[in-house]
Amino acid sequence: MASKSSSSSSASSDHLINLVWAGAVVYGIGIFLQNAYAIRLQAIEEFGPVIHEFDPYFNWRATQYLYENGAKKFFTWFDHMVWYPLGRPVGSTIYPGMQFTAVFLKRYIFGDNMSLNDVCCYIPAWFGVIATFLVGCITYETSLPENSGGTIFGVVYDALRGKYGSEKSMTGGSRSRVFGFSSPAVECAMFS
């Protein structure tokens, strides 16, 4: 009788320790994701939600054209303001995923609460945090069954990578490169 109660109390204490460990890991990952977001918001905190550099400004203009004119006109749009004096058939020469994502977020998620410019400025930070979380998920999956802390390392690395490894996921730069890691990470996480 005594051995049954000691084994059940041992199992419940192991379960409690596992829950505490899982809670600590979730809390730690949350802190790192919050820091990943804060690091990527540095430009907005310093200068405000301003599109800077040529390529992000072009992408913002393309997003604005899509928002105002719709997809059919976007895919046939010939922009005379770029590659002057020749112009450029924009809808057929760019990867429009970022523009469609920004327009979707503006129309169906934020509405009048956020301008299209602000959506384009914040997209790099949002997708940087998504990519950071997905790197942690992929690291967790690839380090099983041992999983000796690789998940936390993957999250920490990718959280800091946006600032120190590449400026491409910083805010204010509405570039399609912000999808460059989060999109494949989503695909790997979904289909592995």
Side-chain angles (χ1 to χ4, degrees):
M1 208 41 135
S3 66
K4 279 188 175 181
S5 77
S6 68
S7 67
S8 68
S9 67
S10 172
S12 64
S13 67
D14 287 344
H15 183 68
L16 182 62
I17 289 171
N18 288 338
L19 284 176
V20 169
W21 174 248
V25 167
V26 168
Y27 179 76
I29 289 173
I31 293 293
F32 291 127
L33 293 177
Q34 183 180 16
N35 286 333
Y37 189 65
I39 287 170
R40 286 166 172 84
L41 284 181
Q42 181 184 1
I44 286 181
E45 290 172 358
E46 193 170 332
F47 304 110
V50 176
I51 300 285
H52 52 81
E53 299 181 26
F54 175 76
D55 287 346
Y57 182 74
F58 168 76
N59 284 326
W60 176 77
R61 280 187 53 247
T63 304
Q64 186 179 31
Y65 188 89
L66 175 64
Y67 182 71
E68 293 172 355
N69 298 300
K72 187 174 182 180
K73 284 191 176 182
F74 177 77
F75 284 118
T76 59
W77 176 36
F78 191 86
D79 188 6
H80 296 280
M81 293 179 62
V82 297
W83 293 355
Y84 186 79
L86 300 174
R88 175 182 178 186
V90 176
S92 62
T93 59
I94 66 170
Y95 298 111
M98 183 185 58
Q99 286 82 12
F100 277 92
T101 303
V103 168
F104 175 83
L105 290 172
K106 168 70 174 139
R107 282 198 178 133
Y108 301 111
I109 306 295
F110 298 113
D112 294 334
N113 297 328
M114 191 176 234
S115 71
L116 189 60
N117 177 65
D118 291 350
V119 171
C120 288
C121 285
Y122 282 96
I123 274 182
W126 297 333
F127 278 85
V129 172
I130 290 170
T132 299
F133 176 73
L134 293 173
V135 163
C137 291
I138 292 170
T139 307
Y140 174 77
E141 187 168 336
T142 58
S143 63
L144 287 175
E146 295 297 321
N147 197 5
S148 58
T151 303
I152 296 293
F153 176 75
V155 170
V156 170
Y157 170 75
D158 200 63
L160 298 176
R161 178 186 58 84
K163 175 64 179 148
Y164 300 110
S166 170
E167 296 288 325
K168 305 306 181 208
S169 67
M170 298 301 288
T171 54
S174 179
R175 295 184 179 197
S176 58
R177 293 182 189 121
V178 299
F179 294 99
F181 190 77
S182 56
S183 297
V186 167
E187 293 165 7
C188 288
M190 298 283 285
F191 298 110
S192 60

